[in-house]
Amino acid sequence: MRNKLSFPTDEAVMKSVYLALREASKKWTMPIRNWGMILSQF
């Protein structure tokens, strides 16, 4: 049985997570302290 990876590289995973978080954060109503700093760590 062969495993197929959805993401070819670790960088692809990080980009996907970053973009998903960025989209989700647009819909949040309560501000998260230091969110800009947290997002910049990605």
Side-chain angles (χ1 to χ4, degrees):
M1 188 163 126
R2 261 178 31 172
N3 288 338
K4 282 193 172 182
L5 296 175
S6 298
F7 300 101
T9 64
D10 288 347
E11 185 179 350
V13 174
M14 293 302 290
K15 282 183 182 179
S16 181
V17 169
Y18 170 79
L19 292 172
L21 283 172
R22 199 173 73 171
E23 284 301 307
S25 68
K26 292 176 185 176
K27 298 174 186 167
W28 293 336
T29 55
M30 289 193 57
I32 296 176
R33 200 181 330 166
N34 299 325
W35 180 242
M37 186 174 69
I38 295 167
L39 202 53
S40 71
Q41 296 299 311
F42 276 105

